[in-house]
Amino acid sequence: MPKPSIKPVGIDLGTTFSVIAHLDAAGRPVTIMNAEGDAITPSVLFFDGDLVIVGKEAVKAAIHEPQHSVAFMKREMGSSVFSRLVNGKKVPPEVLQSYVLKKLKADAELKLGQIKPAVITVPAFFDDPRRKGTLDAGKIAGLDVLNVINEPTAAAIAFGVQEGFLNEKGESKRTERVLVYDLGGGTFDVTLMEIDGKSYRALATDGDVYLGGTDWDHRIVDFAAEAFMKKHGGKDPRKDPSALTRWLHEAEDVKRALSAREATNYTCDFNDKKLRVPISRAQFEELTADLLERTRFTTSSLISEAGFGWDKITRLLLVGGSTRMPMVQQMLKEVTGRTPDRSLSADEAVAHGAAIYAGLLMATGQGQAPTVTVRNVNSHTLGVLGIEKQTGRPCNQIVIQKNTPLPVTKVSRFQTAKTGQRSVVANIIEGGDSSGGNATQIGKCVIQDLPANLPAGTPVDVAFSYSDDGRLTVKAKLPNQGKMAVLVVERASGLSEQQVKKWGDVVAKPSGPLELNED
Ligand code: ADP
Ligand code: MG
């Protein structure tokens, strides 16, 4: 057996593909191949009775039995249970994510020996419940998660170190303003970052949790399905889950082919009828023009909101498998007037950056001076949902504005409504409009055990603190009483420590049997 290792790993826990990397003896990041010999592992699960299969084999099995397969768990992080029953049971998304982590860990352990410390990446626009969910997924998988880091920050570190605009400690020689455009399988993420020596500052970030390569695949399926029905009539193949899975698979192949070639054929069958449709790159680009436009719009708005012109941006980094589509590179060249940097593998940059960051964190933990400092911004407004006195309408009282540099603490003053009130409840929300529509419920803050006989209107100060990694804590005190009030944060979603432990035991079972009895 290899020696137990305290070498940390970096993990890109992706919507569609996940990657694990470590630092070699020379301190360079290296991807660790999975048991199948691949650098990237599909984030797909297949439940074969009691067995949980992860990765390529799960993708294959899903074609025949889509009802037993689970994918896109990352999109549901932060919800209390996955949108669909899994083997007839309710399962939290972080538990499903932990199976992916467990596979990456187990496969990497075949090469490296025991793996514990890890940095896991999250999209910059992940809010607090989703970050907490990611940390919990790591714990359930048996990892000791040093921290989460934003995917664009990780990518910038990897590119920077590789290309020498950062040294091996991650420090820049001059001020760099880096735009990271990340188009993956299920999400789009764009971040503007400033790297000045050791300091990393995210200046602004935006994205779309529901836009990625799979939307491009769906457009090809729509195109083929319409051609199929025109020729053969009858039922829509997209209505059949097994056919849809198969057709999407073929669409992804066609899409990849069109990144390399000008034209190819889509071959499909349904109910014993076959079709072969030619499709050109130009046609594909036309079918998906609006999707690409959405990313262009988000990118341009981000730059103008940050108050910069393109001339102030020093690097343009492309991350995510979908940036291999020539249309993406062309569009960015047109908008920015510069040639995007694709020197690093689009799939591996994020995991490599996470491994470098993990190494830096471990070194700091062992007494070396901290190297890089990573400053993020919060990607959503943080507010308290209240009722407007005059109108009685719900009202989102924003406490921390979007894109505020972290860490940040803001104190907001509230007051008791009634004489003799013994507790105060604040509903904390992220994002949303002025009346709290479309917001994410973070949790309820309950200040209990207030002294008896307080007059109505007694001030209550609530302090919201975002740490560097985007985690949120809430504290409250009664300023005039000179003492802290007891504060209970009830999360609207997420697992308790006890549940994390319980699920950890379930997931740790050697063959990974899924015994999903609820509490
Ligand atoms: P995520 O981070 O969301 O898990 P990745 O960055 O691994 O995703 O990107 C996966 C997406 O990239 C998939 O939709 C896949 O089809 C797409 N992709 C990978 N290679 C190519 C290619 N050569 N041409 C077009 N799309 C590609
Ligand atoms: Mg990704």
Side-chain angles (χ1 to χ4, degrees):
M1 280 297 282
K3 271 204 296 235
S5 128
I6 51 148
K7 287 271 163 60
V9 291
I11 298 177
D12 171 7
L13 184 57
T15 311
T16 50
F17 290 98
S18 295
V19 181
I20 182 168
H22 76 126
L23 300 179
D24 68 10
R28 279 179 305 246
V30 186
T31 302
I32 311 166
M33 302 292 149
N34 63 21
E36 292 78 45
D38 298 324
I40 63 176
T41 302
S43 310
V44 177
L45 310 181
F46 185 81
F47 292 88
D48 183 7
D50 274 352
L51 262 181
V52 187
I53 300 166
V54 183
K56 195 151 92 179
E57 291 307 316
V59 173
K60 279 194 216 153
I63 295 180
H64 305 291
E65 295 174 72
Q67 71 277 17
H68 291 139
S69 136
V70 177
F72 291 104
M73 299 81 85
K74 186 169 175 178
R75 277 186 172 171
E76 302 201 19
M77 290 297 275
S79 319
S80 49
V81 288
F82 193 65
S83 56
R84 205 152 61 68
L85 293 181
V86 178
N87 262 10
K89 308 273 173 27
K90 287 182 187 168
V91 190
E94 47 269 61
V95 173
L96 299 170
Q97 287 284 71
S98 78
Y99 279 104
V100 178
L101 292 171
K102 188 190 169 199
K103 150 113 180 143
L104 296 173
K105 178 179 187 283
D107 286 4
E109 282 178 341
L110 297 174
K111 305 220 163 73
L112 298 183
Q114 205 201 7
I115 288 170
K116 274 275 173 199
V119 164
I120 305 177
T121 64
V122 291
F125 59 78
F126 252 28
D127 56 15
D128 186 69
R130 290 159 169 158
R131 285 170 197 267
K132 158 110 178 17
T134 305
L135 284 165
D136 287 345
K139 279 190 213 160
I140 293 170
L143 291 166
D144 173 10
V145 187
L146 300 170
N147 209 341
V148 294
I149 181 175
N150 288 347
E151 287 159 12
T153 309
I157 293 176
F159 269 97
V161 168
Q162 186 202 266
E163 287 179 14
F165 70 80
L166 304 176
N167 65 19
E168 75 286 354
K169 288 186 174 159
E171 301 162 352
S172 73
K173 294 168 194 141
R174 57 178 189 125
T175 306
E176 299 278 356
R177 255 184 230 116
V178 181
L179 185 81
V180 182
Y181 174 105
D182 180 352
L183 187 59
T187 50
F188 169 62
D189 197 338
V190 59
T191 302
L192 179 62
M193 210 164 2
E194 194 169 83
I195 309 175
D196 187 6
K198 294 180 194 176
S199 130
Y200 284 63
R201 231 155 38 99
L203 300 176
T205 184
D206 206 347
D208 196 332
V209 217
Y210 289 98
L211 185 61
T214 162
D215 297 296
W216 271 255
D217 303 344
H218 272 278
R219 291 294 168 82
I220 298 178
V221 169
D222 290 343
F223 167 77
E226 272 148 35
F228 184 91
M229 288 188 294
K230 206 164 160 194
K231 183 167 175 207
H232 298 296
K235 212 179 133 195
D236 189 336
R238 289 167 295 187
K239 297 265 156 65
D240 178 308
S242 174
L244 179 62
T245 312
R246 222 160 15 88
W247 281 44
L248 276 169
H249 215 63
E250 170 71 8
E252 196 188 348
D253 281 349
V254 162
K255 176 183 72 176
R256 286 175 195 253
L258 290 175
S259 291
R261 305 165 49 185
E262 288 293 334
T264 184
N265 290 298
Y266 186 96
T267 41
C268 46
D269 65 275
F270 178 57
N271 284 346
D272 296 325
K273 295 199 178 83
K274 282 190 172 36
L275 184 77
R276 192 176 147 92
V277 231
I279 177 166
S280 69
R281 187 188 285 169
Q283 262 174 312
F284 174 51
E285 291 179 353
E286 206 179 298
L287 291 171
T288 55
D290 59 313
L291 301 175
L292 186 70
E293 169 58 23
R294 274 163 69 186
T295 76
R296 191 198 63 77
F297 181 79
T298 307
T299 308
S300 301
S301 316
L302 184 91
I303 297 297
S304 53
E305 274 166 32
F308 290 112
W310 285 105
D311 54 325
K312 294 281 188 314
I313 311 291
T314 58
R315 315 263 166 184
L316 171 61
L317 308 185
L318 297 199
V319 181
S322 299
T323 59
R324 293 213 179 85
M325 294 189 291
M327 67 176 94
V328 171
Q329 295 152 36
Q330 271 154 25
M331 179 275 287
L332 285 171
K333 218 164 158 176
E334 272 165 35
V335 185
T336 66
R338 62 183 66 224
T339 307
D341 197 324
R342 299 170 56 234
S343 59
L344 210 66
S345 152
D347 322 289
E348 292 167 289
V350 170
H352 285 193
I356 297 172
Y357 186 56
L360 295 173
L361 287 177
M362 290 289 280
T364 309
Q366 284 158 11
Q368 291 185 24
T371 40
V372 299
T373 57
V374 177
R375 280 195 99 185
N376 290 322
V377 292
N378 62 320
S379 50
H380 304 260
T381 59
L382 183 76
V384 172
L385 192 61
I387 302 290
E388 209 172 52
K389 256 195 192 144
Q390 295 87 335
T391 60
R393 289 206 199 102
C395 162
N396 177 2
Q397 184 184 330
I398 292 175
V399 182
I400 302 180
Q401 290 292 349
K402 184 178 165 170
N403 287 331
T404 304
L406 306 182
V408 62
T409 297
K410 288 263 159 88
V411 181
S412 217
R413 180 155 287 188
F414 298 87
Q415 55 183 31
T416 57
K418 288 185 301 205
T419 305
Q421 192 172 328
R422 299 301 302 270
S423 68
V424 178
V425 180
N427 268 310
I428 305 159
I429 55 175
E430 267 188 339
D433 55 27
S434 62
S435 58
N438 289 325
T440 305
Q441 187 80 31
I442 290 282
K444 239 194 292 180
C445 220
V446 187
I447 305 158
Q448 290 171 329
D449 300 334
L450 297 184
N453 305 321
L454 282 180
T458 300
V460 181
D461 283 347
V462 182
F464 295 82
S465 306
Y466 261 120
S467 59
D468 293 330
D469 63 0
R471 301 296 326 283
L472 173 71
T473 47
V474 185
K475 287 182 188 149
K477 74 178 183 194
L478 296 183
N480 297 346
Q481 312 287 320
K483 64 171 197 173
M484 298 284 289
V486 180
L487 183 81
V488 185
V489 179
E490 291 169 28
R491 290 190 168 277
S493 64
L495 302 177
S496 67
E497 230 167 279
Q498 219 176 347
Q499 286 168 315
V500 168
K501 204 182 158 314
K502 197 198 79 181
W503 282 110
D505 292 340
V506 172
V507 172
K509 298 243 170 78
S511 58
L514 192 71
E515 290 164 9
L516 298 175
N517 299 318
E518 276 287 283
D519 296 333

